[in-house]
Amino acid sequence: MKITIKYFSWVRVKIQKSHELFEFSDEMTFLNLKNELINKNSFFDEIFKDRSIKFFLNLKEITDENISLNDGDEIALLPPVTGG
Amino acid sequence: MKITIKYFSWVRVKIQKSHELFEFSDEMTFLNLKNELINKNSFFDEIFKDRSIKFFLNLKEITDENISLNDGDEIALLPPVTGG
Amino acid sequence: MIKITKEDFNLEEEFKKIHSKKNGAYSFFLGTVRQDIDDNINGIFLECYEDLACNQLNKIKKDSTQKWNLSDCTIIHRIGDLKISEKIVLVITAAPHRSDCIEACEYIIDTLKANVALWKFHIKGKEKEPVNQKKKDLDKYLSWSQVIS
Amino acid sequence: MIKITKEDFNLEEEFKKIHSKKNGAYSFFLGTVRQDIDDNINGIFLECYEDLACNQLNKIKKDSTQKWNLSDCTIIHRIGDLKISEKIVLVITAAPHRSDCIEACEYIIDTLKANVALWKFHIKGKEKEPVNQKKKDLDKYLSWSQVIS
């Protein structure tokens, strides 16, 4: 199962890439994904503890961390917006 | 003493002129002028009873009817404004 | 800039005149001649007591610039005959931050509608009928008295 | 019309696209790159999650059109590198009467600032520093929750 993660604003600057493709063999929820990412890179620990960052799955805000992920899903990590 | 009176909006339409020059021999106040005008034309009775009409003397709203008039003064009769 | 004119104006050109790098926010109000569905008109006629209206507009500009700390302000009002959908009035307010210019722009158009020597007539065929002042316009203007004083 | 673009825009041209004889009132908000006196910048960079931002802007347009009975609404937001004094964002609301379009215009820019996937960076020399969200922008957005719900 391939999941794309998109990074924006200071998260993108800090991780030095705009997106990343992860492959997982098992079925998983967003909660599982968070734990996998924290294991891969301690940077994600900071991200997931930051209450100001919002998470979107295929352009919809994630409100339940137990949501199942599917092959081809796009997850985005959004710091507080500053347009306008 | 020459006093110009300017008419606007429905007052101008009703009196069928945009302005009028009146000559008076005596010194007078705005209150005297009102009485003179009512004597000349009963139309002015309606005007001076209409609380929605404002009176300006040389571009300043008249707040005291006993204000003295001078040769060359310009008085304007302003119905409620409707610009914008 | 305060202008009472028979001429049309261009929004981009008027913006360029007020545009400055010290401002981050511009609020515009544009009024046009609306085709009223209930009340079939061919256009409007705008009468003005120009000397007085200029004084009144300058006072509105001065009051709003002080109250909301505007960098600048444009008020243009057309006079004479205007066809359906033509521009009537433009207000532009400029400020470093948006809340000031948005509120000031609304104050200016509300005050202009209730307090500047301009009179609108509906053109119906060859007739020009004076338009009555709307109570809601007067009430809206009066609602600012607590803000501005 | 909703547009996210690198291109500049012309106010008169954008007005012409939304102009209709059924409207008597248009409210515009224009945001530009301000030369901050305290904080010397060469310009700004605007990052965008375009697919999401388009959805969010369309939702803002739909909500405000319903709530304030707008005839139409334009939202244009620039992205990429912008120099000092360049245009960033334009909101135009059109309605038969002015109070609707003025209030809706303010709602749209307040909501956009707090709720659309756009991020501003200050360009200082070769560095691009992310700009922090301002508490007052978030508070302003939250103040609408009673109006819109």
Side-chain angles (χ1 to χ4, degrees):
Chain A
M1 179 164 76
K2 291 177 181 174
I3 306 283
T4 303
I5 308 203
K6 292 196 158 198
Y7 309 113
F8 294 94
S9 188
W10 67 263
V11 176
R12 175 182 58 73
V13 172
K14 196 147 188 182
I15 208 162
Q16 293 179 297
K17 53 189 94 166
S18 65
H19 62 278
E20 219 168 346
L21 186 67
F22 291 93
E23 285 211 50
F24 304 98
S25 49
D26 299 327
E27 300 231 324
M28 58 172 20
T29 64
F30 179 63
L31 188 60
N32 301 142
L33 176 78
K34 278 172 67 172
N35 294 328
E36 291 271 354
L37 292 174
I38 291 165
N39 287 341
K40 278 182 204 280
N41 185 338
S42 62
F43 166 76
F44 284 105
D45 198 34
E46 183 191 341
I47 295 297
F48 292 122
K49 278 179 181 156
D50 186 333
R51 304 279 299 169
S52 77
I53 294 177
K54 291 182 176 178
F55 305 98
F56 279 70
L57 169 62
N58 301 329
L59 310 181
K60 294 219 165 4
E61 190 172 353
I62 296 173
T63 50
D64 177 2
E65 297 206 325
N66 293 309
I67 192 166
S68 300
L69 303 181
N70 295 300
D71 186 50
D73 276 354
E74 179 173 295
I75 287 173
L77 277 54
L78 274 55
V81 301
T82 54
Chain B
M1 179 164 76
K2 290 177 182 172
I3 307 281
T4 303
I5 308 204
K6 292 198 158 196
Y7 309 113
F8 293 94
S9 187
W10 68 262
V11 176
R12 175 182 58 73
V13 172
K14 196 146 187 180
I15 210 162
Q16 293 178 301
K17 53 189 95 164
S18 64
H19 62 277
E20 217 166 349
L21 187 67
F22 291 92
E23 287 210 49
F24 304 98
S25 49
D26 300 327
E27 300 230 328
M28 58 169 26
T29 63
F30 179 64
L31 188 61
N32 300 144
L33 175 78
K34 279 172 66 171
N35 293 328
E36 290 273 354
L37 291 174
I38 291 165
N39 287 340
K40 279 182 200 283
N41 184 338
S42 63
F43 165 76
F44 285 104
D45 199 33
E46 181 190 343
I47 295 297
F48 292 121
K49 278 181 183 154
D50 186 333
R51 305 278 299 167
S52 77
I53 294 177
K54 292 181 176 180
F55 305 98
F56 278 70
L57 169 61
N58 301 330
L59 310 182
K60 292 218 170 4
E61 190 170 355
I62 297 172
T63 51
D64 177 4
E65 297 207 324
N66 294 308
I67 192 166
S68 298
L69 303 181
N70 295 300
D71 186 48
D73 277 354
E74 179 174 296
I75 287 173
L77 278 51
L78 274 55
V81 301
T82 52
Chain C
M1 190 212 17
I2 301 292
K3 192 157 75 177
I4 292 170
T5 176
K6 289 191 174 177
E7 302 301 315
D8 195 11
F9 48 82
N10 176 294
L11 299 176
E12 184 68 24
E13 295 305 316
E14 297 307 326
F15 166 64
K16 279 183 186 159
K17 290 176 196 166
I18 200 175
H19 188 191
S20 158
K21 63 185 180 184
K22 67 176 184 263
N23 300 319
Y26 300 84
S27 190
F28 295 59
F29 178 79
L30 176 67
T32 59
V33 183
R34 185 165 49 89
Q35 172 85 74
D36 212 321
I37 303 158
D38 310 327
D39 203 12
N40 217 13
I41 61 168
N42 306 112
I44 64 168
F45 170 73
L46 271 153
E47 183 179 10
C48 183
Y49 185 14
E50 278 199 53
D51 292 343
L52 180 60
C54 279
N55 285 0
Q56 291 168 324
L57 290 173
N58 275 303
K59 181 172 182 337
I60 295 171
K61 178 174 175 168
K62 194 179 157 218
D63 288 347
S64 53
T65 300
Q66 284 177 350
K67 171 74 186 167
W68 286 280
N69 201 22
L70 300 180
S71 306
D72 206 345
C73 159
T74 296
I75 310 174
I76 304 175
H77 205 294
R78 306 270 303 276
I79 53 174
D81 288 321
L82 296 176
K83 296 188 196 73
I84 296 289
S85 92
E86 275 201 85
K87 293 173 189 144
I88 303 170
V89 60
L90 176 67
V91 177
I92 314 179
T93 51
H97 301 287
R98 79 182 182 291
S99 60
D100 291 322
C101 73
I102 292 173
E103 198 172 57
C105 189
E106 188 169 19
Y107 169 78
I108 292 169
I109 187 65
D110 286 349
T111 308
L112 185 157
K113 283 209 162 236
N115 224 23
V116 176
L118 288 153
W119 296 270
K120 207 174 276 162
F121 294 70
H122 281 160
I123 303 176
K124 297 181 179 180
K126 292 190 172 181
E127 296 297 307
K128 291 181 180 180
E129 292 178 3
V131 171
N132 290 325
Q133 194 178 53
K134 288 177 191 147
K135 188 177 178 301
K136 70 172 181 181
D137 284 337
L138 194 61
D139 290 345
K140 188 69 167 47
Y141 165 64
L142 293 172
S143 74
W144 287 99
S145 59
Q146 292 173 308
V147 177
I148 198 78
S149 62
Chain D
M1 189 213 15
I2 301 292
K3 191 156 74 176
I4 293 171
T5 176
K6 290 191 174 179
E7 303 301 316
D8 196 11
F9 48 82
N10 177 294
L11 299 175
E12 184 69 23
E13 294 305 314
E14 296 308 327
F15 166 64
K16 278 182 186 160
K17 290 176 196 168
I18 200 173
H19 188 191
S20 158
K21 64 185 181 184
K22 66 176 183 263
N23 299 319
Y26 300 84
S27 190
F28 296 58
F29 177 81
L30 176 66
T32 59
V33 183
R34 184 167 50 90
Q35 173 87 74
D36 211 321
I37 304 160
D38 310 325
D39 202 13
N40 216 13
I41 61 166
N42 306 113
I44 64 167
F45 169 72
L46 270 153
E47 184 181 6
C48 183
Y49 184 14
E50 279 196 52
D51 291 344
L52 179 60
C54 278
N55 284 2
Q56 290 168 325
L57 290 173
N58 275 303
K59 181 174 183 336
I60 294 171
K61 177 173 176 171
K62 193 179 157 215
D63 288 348
S64 52
T65 301
Q66 284 178 350
K67 172 73 186 167
W68 284 280
N69 201 20
L70 301 180
S71 306
D72 206 346
C73 161
T74 295
I75 311 174
I76 304 176
H77 206 295
R78 307 271 303 277
I79 53 173
D81 288 323
L82 296 176
K83 297 189 195 75
I84 297 287
S85 93
E86 275 200 84
K87 293 174 189 141
I88 303 172
V89 59
L90 176 66
V91 177
I92 314 177
T93 50
H97 302 287
R98 81 183 180 290
S99 59
D100 291 323
C101 73
I102 292 173
E103 198 171 58
C105 189
E106 187 170 20
Y107 169 77
I108 292 169
I109 188 63
D110 286 350
T111 308
L112 185 158
K113 283 210 163 236
N115 225 22
V116 175
L118 288 152
W119 296 270
K120 210 175 272 162
F121 293 72
H122 282 159
I123 301 175
K124 297 182 178 180
K126 291 192 172 181
E127 296 296 308
K128 290 181 179 179
E129 291 177 5
V131 171
N132 290 325
Q133 193 177 54
K134 290 177 190 145
K135 187 178 178 303
K136 72 171 180 183
D137 284 336
L138 193 61
D139 289 346
K140 189 67 167 47
Y141 165 65
L142 292 172
S143 74
W144 287 100
S145 58
Q146 293 172 310
V147 175
I148 197 78
S149 61

